[in-house]
Amino acid sequence: MARFFDLNPEQQAAVKCTEGPLLVLAGAGTGKTRVITMRIAYLLHNGAKPENILAVTFTNKAANEMRARVAQLVEKVEAKKITICTFHALCVRILRQDIERLGYKSNFAIYDEGDQLGLIRKIIARISAKNEKLDPNLAKNLISRAKNAHWKIKEPEGESSLPAAVFHRYQEELKTANAVDFDDLLILTVNLFENHPDVAQKWQTRFRYIMVDEFQDTNGLQLELVRYLGGNHHNVCVVGDDDQSIYGWRGAEVANILEFEHHFPNPEVVKLEQNYRSTGSILGAANSIIRHNPRRRPKSLWSQNGEGEKVTVMEVPDDHEEANYVISEIQKRQQIGGLNWSRFAVIFRMNAQSRLLEENLRRLRIPYRIIGGRSFFERREVKDVLAYLSCLANPSDDLNLLRIINTPARGIGSSTIELAVAESNQHKTSIYETLRSPVFQEFLSSRTKTAVEKFAELLDRYETELLQPLANLSAIVDKLLVEIDYTGELRKSCKTQEEALNREENIRELVRTLGDFQGRSTEGLTGFLAEVTLDQDREEKSEGDHDGVTLITFHAAKGLEFPHVFLVGIEEGVLPHDRSKVDGHLDEERRLFYVGITRAMESLTITHCSSRMKYGSASPCHPSIFLKDLDPVCVEIVSYHVIANQPASEGTARTHFAKMRELLG
DNA sequence: CGGTCTATAATTTTT
DNA sequence: TTATAGACCG
């Protein structure tokens, strides 16, 4: 345990507290992950069995990182037996074992938000009257909110309103498709524990020691889950920072961390306030902002890193000038310091703000990477192939079956499909079963009948093949794609050959991923599909490791750090965003600002515009009200005109040339 | 059915 | 400004 003594006293206290509830309030950059991983090592050192340890995170990225760091601290064999995963992955594991008690089959499919939306759209189209309109996205949010508010899965009150009817129907169709959505994973697990105490007990005994990361982001159901899992032994350690709760709009309850004592009485409470990331000026600025929030656990970050340079705040004329200034400032600093581009990040409230920044970066040929954006798994061809796989893994999956039933075209037209849908609704059977039923086939012309039979036979044949114990999944999928001539379909549907080749490559990539999966897991096709929907942003690993300036939203920046950070567009209407004020969610916007500030290690520059292009026309902007709260001691307000009209100062130029010489010689 | 046109709206997005 | 959904027409 050599490294235990590298921890500061508070961190040590958190690590050593292994029995009973423990709340670790870990401010930004205070070594949170270090404490969790060290605590796991400490538990093992003190005789805990690795299989009894559970660490839950929110993202796969966090889980992977934690796994890697634990692996450095403990024996490999032991590390493998520790459960480190996301809430959702944990629920999948639990449900695969016992979901049959709730009337689902264990090969259930998981619908991501795209699938969800598709299903909702389908339902709205079918059941709404002509004069009724319902935005599918709105319906999706309503459904999610309803589920999280513990409506549970039962008849909603009255069928009169359209949203209620859609909700009801949605849940019904999910169940016949043997599918669950992200919310269901949590709800069903809680239901399972509630109604089947033996199952609850099995897992309570299994996980003697529980750790939850980013606890401020848990929602009601996740708390409920933790309460069940820790219900007997109360060895529950939660780590988080209420000041960094920025996902309230997605259902996260800050109250969970603010009222932790309420759920797990008499916890040990440890505050981590020593920051190892930022300079004093940056922390001073951060403290002065967050202090103004009501309803929080008071904390004050400090560090031994010295004051450092002051935080720069600058007003710029407009968003064009802002982007231009920020990017040239980055270029200047990069040259002077001979730094990697990856040491710089520009953080903004809305993705739309990245455009001007990108333009400037491209103009100056500076490499950059944007975090976020279209996922690999949202591309049409990838979804098509995944739809085939979903149908083979779970033939009741109507939504995915409809996606591929005539892709590529095989003579099953819309009237036939409509008939099949109506028929399956009437008999409450899946479309797959309907297609195979002789009664249904009697309705069809002989030509269509042949097409339907052939399609059903295709699915049957590949399903059987994939179920063989030693089946080589990726080889079989390759064979299937050749048989249906999906490549031919791509060539036909793409405008340019380049696009077709690109899409073909995407499919090869997907099949490769499947092969990789089979190489390291025994969970087969169902497991692969679950992993793919629960971990959608893997592509970054392949492309995203080059040096470049990071462009990122405040939300996505949580948990990251950069030596030099620029916060842009810190104006009323942007941060805080206009849409957040009406709801009275100002606190969360302030936390967002706080999160942005605390990403910076060495330097922080904040800009706001006097005018900004909004929806095509220039509109005047006022500095964010948050800027008033910045402690003047930490801040230097810089005039844009002085900077913009000033040629490089002699001092700067000299350093510059010195650096150049150094680089050359 | 698919392509083009027009009206409308406009955060953030861990799984 | 720009993206997207629905309408509309060949």
Side-chain angles (χ1 to χ4, degrees):
Chain A
M1 293 299 290
R3 288 188 246 181
F4 175 78
F5 297 102
D6 296 343
L7 300 176
N8 69 37
E10 292 77 29
Q11 292 175 326
Q12 290 187 11
V15 167
K16 281 200 284 195
C17 173
T18 57
E19 303 293 318
L22 167 64
L23 168 61
V24 182
L25 293 163
T30 54
K32 176 187 64 150
T33 311
R34 228 168 141 221
V35 166
I36 300 181
T37 49
M38 193 62 84
R39 192 167 179 274
I40 291 174
Y42 188 84
L43 279 166
L44 292 175
H45 183 76
N46 283 290
K49 288 201 186 117
E51 56 269 30
N52 290 337
I53 298 176
L54 168 69
V56 197
T57 62
F58 270 81
T59 64
N60 292 290
K61 202 174 145 203
N64 293 335
E65 193 185 317
M66 197 177 290
R67 238 190 307 270
R69 289 177 62 171
V70 167
Q72 291 175 347
L73 290 176
V74 309
E75 297 283 328
K76 234 187 184 136
V77 240
E78 298 213 299
K80 269 202 184 138
K81 294 186 198 156
I82 304 169
T83 306
I84 301 178
C85 64
T86 64
F87 270 105
H88 295 264
L90 175 67
C91 290
V92 171
R93 256 176 79 171
I94 294 170
L95 291 174
R96 290 273 185 234
Q97 286 192 19
D98 287 303
I99 200 174
E100 277 164 23
R101 308 230 200 161
L102 300 175
Y104 289 78
K105 283 181 278 173
S106 70
N107 64 340
F108 61 87
I110 303 166
Y111 276 15
D112 67 18
E113 288 190 79
D115 300 327
Q116 224 182 331
L117 212 54
L119 181 55
I120 290 170
R121 258 197 263 270
K122 205 180 86 188
I123 291 170
I124 291 177
R126 190 158 348 117
I127 69 172
S128 66
K130 280 228 167 65
N131 55 357
E132 279 181 311
K133 275 214 184 94
L134 181 61
D135 175 10
N137 268 304
L138 180 72
K140 192 189 77 180
N141 291 339
L142 285 173
I143 288 173
S144 180
R145 210 172 313 155
K147 285 187 172 187
N148 280 290
H150 241 95
W151 268 19
K152 304 212 179 149
I153 301 170
K154 59 175 186 188
E155 306 274 317
E157 306 297 312
E159 285 277 296
S160 48
S161 79
L162 183 57
V166 171
F167 177 68
H168 178 72
R169 192 59 177 267
Y170 170 78
Q171 212 51 47
E172 231 174 45
E173 296 223 4
L174 271 185
K175 182 117 189 219
T176 32
N178 192 32
V180 303
D181 63 23
F182 287 150
D183 293 324
D184 287 343
L185 287 173
L186 301 167
I187 293 176
L188 293 174
T189 308
V190 168
N191 276 357
L192 190 61
F193 287 168
E194 214 163 54
N195 300 321
H196 301 273
D198 57 314
V199 178
Q201 193 173 355
K202 179 166 81 185
W203 293 99
Q204 284 167 345
T205 322
R206 166 72 196 270
F207 296 126
R208 279 277 286 126
Y209 296 96
I210 299 172
M211 268 159 275
V212 186
D213 192 15
E214 305 280 16
F215 193 66
Q216 77 281 354
D217 290 335
T218 49
N219 64 26
L221 282 161
Q222 286 158 337
L223 173 68
E224 196 80 343
L225 199 63
V226 173
R227 288 180 56 158
Y228 268 109
L229 287 171
N232 288 342
H233 49 68
H234 282 210
N235 291 331
V236 174
C237 162
V238 306
V239 184
D241 181 4
D242 44 313
D243 292 334
Q244 293 186 72
S245 162
I246 56 175
Y247 283 104
W249 53 277
R250 274 192 131 227
E253 299 269 5
V254 215
N256 289 354
I257 194 164
L258 292 175
E259 294 157 20
F260 180 69
E261 301 70 354
H262 185 82
H263 310 292
F264 291 94
N266 305 316
E268 195 73 32
V269 179
V270 177
K271 263 189 213 179
L272 304 181
E273 297 177 298
Q274 178 174 5
N275 173 293
Y276 296 95
R277 176 185 295 159
S278 314
T279 63
S281 297
I282 291 165
L283 293 180
N287 285 330
S288 63
I289 289 299
I290 202 64
R291 212 185 55 216
H292 289 85
N293 263 4
R295 253 168 63 83
R296 71 179 205 104
R297 307 237 184 200
K299 276 182 278 349
S300 184
L301 297 179
W302 60 278
S303 86
Q304 296 176 336
N305 297 349
E307 285 310 293
E309 62 180 91
K310 290 200 175 188
V311 173
T312 303
V313 175
M314 184 187 298
E315 173 159 16
V316 286
D318 61 41
D319 45 352
H320 282 92
E321 299 283 342
E322 179 182 56
N324 179 44
Y325 167 73
V326 166
I327 301 305
S328 36
E329 182 67 20
I330 288 175
Q331 189 179 42
K332 199 170 91 193
R333 283 178 181 256
Q334 187 271 343
Q335 285 175 351
I336 291 173
L339 305 172
N340 279 340
W341 294 113
S342 56
R343 298 171 76 82
F344 298 89
V346 188
I347 305 182
F348 38 79
R349 178 67 232 268
M350 292 173 297
N351 288 118
Q353 289 172 266
S354 73
R355 237 200 59 212
L356 287 173
L357 295 163
E358 277 185 81
E359 281 173 17
N360 278 281
L361 286 160
R362 266 200 292 264
R363 186 168 53 79
L364 297 175
R365 297 173 193 274
I366 296 173
Y368 65 93
R369 52 196 210 115
I370 296 188
I371 309 291
R374 281 277 107 45
S375 162
F376 176 73
F377 296 99
E378 276 169 43
R379 290 172 204 167
R380 198 195 72 211
E381 65 280 10
V382 174
K383 286 188 74 175
D384 281 346
V385 176
L386 284 174
Y388 270 98
L389 299 185
S390 303
C391 290
L392 294 169
N394 170 30
S396 340
D397 190 337
D398 288 357
L399 191 74
N400 279 310
L401 190 117
L402 288 175
R403 188 180 174 96
I404 56 155
I405 190 165
N406 204 32
T407 309
R410 54 169 67 84
I412 306 179
S414 63
S415 54
T416 314
I417 295 172
E418 255 169 64
L419 191 65
V421 169
E423 191 68 9
S424 77
N425 279 329
Q426 203 185 336
H427 299 302
K428 296 252 180 281
T429 55
S430 71
I431 294 176
Y432 175 71
E433 283 172 79
T434 308
L435 292 180
R436 289 161 38 111
S437 98
V439 184
F440 169 74
Q441 291 187 359
E442 282 317 302
F443 287 114
L444 309 172
S445 69
S446 69
R447 211 184 141 106
T448 316
K449 190 178 163 194
T450 317
V452 167
E453 276 172 343
K454 211 173 145 214
F455 177 61
E457 185 271 335
L458 178 90
L459 291 184
D460 254 356
R461 185 152 41 82
Y462 278 94
E463 194 192 342
T464 318
E465 215 172 312
L466 286 164
L467 281 176
Q468 302 297 318
L470 290 173
N472 178 342
L473 299 182
S474 52
I476 295 171
V477 173
D478 269 331
K479 197 168 90 185
L480 167 68
L481 292 175
V482 171
E483 181 169 343
I484 61 175
D485 191 25
Y486 191 78
T487 321
E489 157 81 11
L490 274 185
R491 295 215 182 105
K492 258 185 278 173
S493 66
C494 292
K495 283 186 188 131
T496 66
Q497 205 193 346
E498 198 195 338
E499 190 190 348
L501 288 174
N502 201 317
R503 290 179 188 269
E504 274 174 56
E505 179 51 37
N506 286 338
I507 291 175
R508 269 197 295 277
E509 169 77 36
L510 180 67
V511 176
R512 254 199 307 277
T513 314
L514 174 60
D516 286 353
F517 178 82
Q518 197 178 19
R520 67 183 150 81
S521 164
T522 53
E523 293 178 42
L525 194 54
T526 313
F528 174 71
L529 290 167
E531 185 174 281
V532 160
T533 58
L534 291 180
D535 185 7
Q536 302 239 315
D537 58 25
R538 231 167 327 165
E539 55 165 341
E540 281 180 34
K541 277 169 207 150
S542 52
E543 310 167 15
D545 47 10
H546 67 270
D547 183 35
V549 174
T550 299
L551 304 184
I552 193 170
T553 62
F554 278 89
H555 283 92
K558 195 180 70 167
L560 305 179
E561 61 180 25
F562 304 91
H564 306 285
V565 168
F566 294 79
L567 306 180
V568 299
I570 310 305
E571 298 138 27
E572 286 298 287
V574 179
L575 185 82
H577 196 276
D578 270 333
R579 306 273 293 224
S580 68
K581 284 192 226 174
V582 279
D583 295 288
H585 286 157
L586 203 67
D587 297 0
E588 189 156 304
E589 295 288 306
R590 188 187 287 277
R591 291 193 288 263
L592 215 40
F593 189 32
Y594 173 79
V595 166
I597 295 172
T598 51
R599 297 312 95 198
M601 301 160 80
E602 294 168 34
S603 85
L604 175 66
T605 307
I606 298 171
T607 60
H608 59 96
C609 302
S610 332
S611 159
R612 169 179 298 276
M613 287 295 264
K614 276 184 180 157
Y615 314 136
S617 55
S619 69
C621 299
H622 303 289
S624 167
I625 45 163
F626 300 145
L627 292 178
K628 285 205 303 279
D629 300 327
L630 282 172
D631 182 350
V633 171
C634 311
V635 170
E636 184 177 19
I637 295 179
V638 176
S639 154
Y640 174 73
H641 296 287
V642 174
I643 294 284
N645 302 321
Q646 182 189 52
S649 78
E650 253 180 71
T652 314
R654 209 179 303 131
T655 340
H656 186 158
F657 288 124
K659 284 285 173 194
M660 295 284 275
R661 263 198 303 278
E662 205 174 287
L663 286 173
L664 292 170

